[in-house]
Amino acid sequence: MERSRLKGRKWLLLSSVSLVPLMCASGAFAQQEDVIRDLALKVLGKHVFYDTELSNPKGGQACVSCHEPFAGGTSGFSDVNKTTVVVPGANGGVGKRKAITNIYASFVPPFSEDCKPQTLISNFCGGNFWDGRSEGKIQDLADNTVPAPHLDEEVFYDIENLYIKAYSKYFGPTSDQALNPMPSVVEQNIAEVDVCKRIAASEYRNLYKVAFGKDINCSSYTAGYTALPQYEISFRRLMLAVGAYQHSWDLNSFTSKRDFALRSELACIEGGHAEFYDHDFCAQVTQEIINNPKKTAAGKFPLLMLTDAENFGHDMFYNVPFFAPNLGKSNPDPSIPAAACAFCHSNEPTVPVAPFQFDFGDDGAELLQTYADHAYHNIGVPHNTEIPVLDKFDTGLNLTHLPSVPNGGFRSPSLRNLFKGASEEFTRSYMHNGFFKNIEAVVHFYNTAEINSAIPRHHDKKNCADVVGIPLIVTEKVALANNCWPVPEFGNNLTRGTLVGNLGLTPEQEGDLVAYLKTLDDYHTSEPPYIFERRAYMPAQVAINGNYRPRPAPPATVLFGYEGEWLIRECNKMYMGDGIAPISVSPGNGCSMESIIQVLKYLK
């Protein structure tokens, strides 16, 4: 699949003549080794993430194949999204699930029972993948889970540099997840030792030395106390780099319309948002607070930069169901329908703590809102018969990870970037099995999924089995055309009622909710490293006695120079957050591409 990679790219490659000396007296934080090594780790991870030669057959697949930034961190293959949903592996094999988004994945917590809320499926939340099996922690034998491999301190077995050891902050579900796709026979289908050897011969191998202070080692000798071969340590370091890259501004930019609207108002009343400040706009905010009783403060909804439909969609998103007696704390206007999306799609959701009593959570004005509780729910998604794996139903959390829980539990993903890439020419798919092909249908399902006619409902949606007949293959298109929904794939322990299936929204209100969700798409989109554009003009990697002939490798300074705005912002920490650091309210570290490269030249 082709994509436009060079459009709008700003070239920042600098010659040594153009480098300006650093002013040591300035105290610029960009001079410090820890900042530049951290950047090198993320730039290395970006190259690994986009490298399609890390698969067998070579060129068949990369991390980006299932997690395309232009498609919101999911599949970038429209034809696959329309039909079989699961991106084929390098050798043609397929799994059971649509890829979950990796955008904002760094905010996913480790798998644990320290959750809000606790659901009908499980008290657990967190962990990467739809079933959380990349737990992001050392296995806890007491919780009876079967987790995927974990990456930990073994990667530092021969490293003394404290700045490099500080990469441990990237241990967690995202780095653990990176360990899995390459050796998987239905994904990249490449052994760890071959990953190591191909990167050791790649154009970007010099980034490894800057990040870890030593050349990549692909030997089979045991790595010290770890009992692992050297190539496995190198592989794990590379996957740590992939995890670190997924903590970067390049994937977690917080640049949506909602974010701009929020920060533009906050710039009027607090520091840390200088690039959004506009004196005339702040005057408008002040007048709105005076004249509109619904506008209580700058940075609170309704936001001036959003339309009436978008603000109303937000209000429905966060409004609790009608049975809550203290609506005044959540939404003072009882005429606003309770879509209740925030019960599951909020960092700190509103949850019941006693009959008719609620612990109220987020109101939607949080700077680092990623719209996911990371808990496990069964909302009654229909079975997708177009996924070509028929040997076993995908039962979710209990399939391979936590066998003791009921069927149908899948982790709530972020709602950011749901529409990114979607158009008349490009189809996306939604839910763990990709049954839905557009968000309008997803919202309609949440509103009308209840097909039990014995239950008082706000709609007349039918059971597709009664309309179309049995046996049947019902797609989203067939269901919508026949005013019906298929039965849930797993009918027990459903989240239903006033949360899913019987919300009572009108078609216009569904549209307003969709309008709000569209404001969560980021403007920034990661672009592939430029060096991969040149591979078409370079000789193929050839293995000789199990090793690859090295390609010409530019110094790390050149590879840094090819990157753009994201690297400067990453260095300055002039962005909202990365899942680790708190919100930056400082003016930045004084980074420029010149200062970054000047320091980079002296790192060994």
Side-chain angles (χ1 to χ4, degrees):
M1 182 184 65
E2 294 295 324
R3 57 175 293 179
S4 176
R5 300 184 180 186
L6 300 180
K7 184 178 179 180
R9 184 186 291 275
K10 295 181 180 179
W11 298 103
L12 292 174
L13 179 60
L14 304 171
S15 69
S16 59
V17 175
S18 68
L19 297 178
V20 295
L22 287 174
M23 299 298 292
C24 295
S26 69
F29 190 59
Q31 298 177 54
Q32 295 191 12
E33 178 184 348
D34 60 339
V35 176
I36 307 306
R37 287 206 188 273
D38 187 83
L39 291 179
L41 182 72
K42 290 169 181 171
V43 176
L44 170 63
K46 179 173 183 175
H47 282 74
V48 175
F49 179 85
Y50 277 99
D51 192 349
T52 58
E53 291 195 343
L54 301 179
S55 64
N56 280 321
K58 191 183 298 182
Q61 201 179 58
C63 304
V64 72
S65 301
C66 294
H67 301 288
E68 265 286 7
F70 79 71
T74 61
S75 164
F77 299 97
S78 182
D79 54 343
V80 173
N81 297 338
K82 286 179 181 179
T83 55
T84 55
V85 175
V86 183
V87 175
N91 65 354
V94 292
K96 292 180 171 62
R97 296 172 188 157
K98 180 185 87 75
I100 195 169
T101 179
N102 75 318
I103 310 294
Y104 300 99
S106 60
F107 290 82
V108 178
F111 190 76
S112 75
E113 291 185 281
D114 185 20
C115 299
K116 176 186 177 183
Q118 297 180 345
T119 73
L120 296 174
I121 295 294
S122 170
N123 295 337
F124 285 90
C125 66
N128 212 319
F129 289 114
W130 286 105
D131 60 7
R133 66 187 185 275
S134 282
E135 294 186 345
K137 64 177 185 178
I138 297 173
Q139 182 178 6
D140 183 355
L141 298 177
D143 61 20
N144 297 313
T145 60
V146 185
H150 173 58
L151 181 157
D152 213 277
E153 294 289 339
E154 71 277 358
V155 297
F156 303 132
Y157 88 95
D158 62 346
I159 290 175
E160 297 181 359
N161 187 309
L162 295 180
Y163 298 138
I164 297 175
K165 286 187 172 183
Y167 301 164
S168 61
K169 64 187 176 183
Y170 299 120
F171 292 167
T174 304
S175 295
D176 281 5
Q177 184 276 337
L179 294 169
N180 293 269
M182 292 190 188
S184 170
V185 294
V186 296
E187 296 186 71
Q188 289 171 256
N189 190 40
I190 181 171
E192 292 91 335
V193 63
D194 213 21
V195 173
C196 184
K197 289 179 178 181
R198 291 188 189 184
I199 292 177
S202 73
E203 313 93 308
Y204 58 90
R205 60 183 176 272
N206 289 324
L207 290 170
Y208 184 97
K209 186 169 185 178
V210 177
F212 290 101
K214 53 188 65 195
D215 291 320
I216 190 168
N217 186 340
C218 301
S219 75
S220 297
Y221 293 111
T222 301
Y225 66 83
T226 69
L228 297 171
Q230 291 281 0
Y231 69 78
E232 177 68 21
I233 294 296
S234 295
F235 174 78
R236 290 180 176 229
R237 287 173 178 169
L238 291 165
M239 297 309 104
L240 179 61
V242 173
Y245 168 61
Q246 291 177 90
H247 284 78
S248 74
W249 187 90
D250 205 25
L251 295 182
N252 309 313
S253 65
F254 290 92
T255 55
S256 70
K257 180 180 181 180
R258 174 264 187 195
D259 297 317
F260 278 109
L262 179 62
R263 296 198 77 188
S264 295
E265 293 194 13
L266 292 175
C268 303
I269 59 174
E270 65 184 39
H273 315 284
E275 62 182 307
F276 298 90
Y277 179 77
D278 181 272
H279 178 270
D280 292 341
F281 176 73
C282 290
Q284 295 177 34
V285 173
T286 300
Q287 286 301 311
E288 186 70 12
I289 294 171
I290 293 172
N291 298 324
N292 184 354
K294 293 185 177 181
K295 182 68 174 175
T296 60
K300 293 293 184 181
F301 282 80
L303 299 177
L304 265 65
M305 287 187 178
L306 301 190
T307 67
D308 289 344
E310 291 163 350
N311 278 311
F312 189 70
H314 163 273
D315 292 344
M316 290 189 290
F317 187 101
Y318 282 93
N319 204 6
V320 298
F322 62 88
F323 56 76
N326 49 348
L327 277 173
K329 188 170 182 180
S330 176
N331 195 311
D333 189 349
S335 67
I336 295 176
C341 311
F343 266 122
C344 302
H345 289 287
S346 189
N347 296 0
E348 290 291 332
T350 294
V351 295
V353 293
F356 303 110
Q357 294 184 20
F358 292 81
D359 179 4
F360 286 94
D362 296 338
D363 64 5
E366 299 76 27
L367 286 172
L368 297 182
Q369 185 59 250
T370 58
Y371 304 95
D373 65 359
H374 306 297
Y376 294 86
H377 304 271
N378 177 11
I379 65 169
V381 175
H383 177 60
N384 185 356
T385 56
E386 294 189 291
I387 295 178
V389 177
L390 302 176
D391 62 328
K392 185 186 294 185
F393 279 94
D394 183 0
T395 56
L397 177 61
N398 70 0
L399 182 61
T400 61
H401 184 200
L402 190 59
S404 60
V405 302
N407 291 342
F410 294 90
R411 181 169 64 82
S412 298
S414 171
L415 296 187
R416 285 182 174 268
N417 297 300
L418 291 175
F419 299 85
K420 202 158 192 177
S423 67
E424 291 184 1
E425 294 76 35
F426 185 86
T427 298
R428 287 188 56 180
S429 61
Y430 303 92
M431 303 299 182
H432 67 278
N433 63 5
F435 179 86
F436 296 98
K437 309 304 179 183
N438 64 78
I439 289 298
E440 289 80 1
V442 172
V443 170
H444 188 56
F445 175 79
Y446 270 89
N447 187 28
T448 63
E450 182 55 70
I451 55 176
N452 184 349
S453 59
I455 296 175
R457 299 176 299 163
H458 299 283
H459 58 84
D460 62 350
K461 195 70 70 173
K462 305 289 193 302
N463 183 334
C464 285
D466 298 332
V467 177
V468 185
I470 298 177
L472 73 164
I473 296 177
V474 179
T475 62
E476 175 208 74
K477 184 177 181 180
V478 170
L480 293 174
N482 289 277
N483 191 36
C484 67
W485 292 120
V487 296
E489 184 169 22
F490 304 104
N492 296 323
N493 301 98
L494 287 173
T495 299
R496 279 293 167 90
T498 54
L499 294 180
V500 177
N502 195 21
L503 304 183
L505 305 184
T506 66
E508 292 76 16
Q509 290 164 348
E510 286 187 12
D512 291 345
L513 193 55
V514 169
Y516 173 63
L517 293 173
K518 287 182 177 179
T519 72
L520 309 183
D521 278 11
D522 288 322
Y523 294 117
H524 173 77
T525 302
S526 171
E527 289 289 339
Y530 168 67
I531 201 164
F532 294 147
E533 299 289 340
R534 301 166 55 186
R535 280 190 171 170
Y537 309 100
M538 301 182 72
Q541 278 188 328
V542 178
I544 301 174
N545 296 324
N547 295 307
Y548 293 90
R549 179 178 298 164
R551 285 186 170 141
T557 53
V558 172
L559 299 176
F560 267 60
Y562 285 140
E563 300 302 323
E565 177 189 19
W566 82 269
L567 196 62
I568 302 298
R569 287 184 173 269
E570 185 68 28
C571 184
N572 278 311
K573 294 296 183 184
M574 293 172 59
Y575 62 101
M576 306 300 293
D578 60 3
I580 295 173
I583 301 167
S584 173
V585 293
S586 66
N589 297 328
C591 291
S592 65
M593 189 58 72
E594 292 91 340
S595 66
I596 292 171
I597 293 178
Q598 190 77 314
V599 175
L600 188 62
K601 290 165 64 178
Y602 293 97
L603 290 184
K604 304 294 183 182

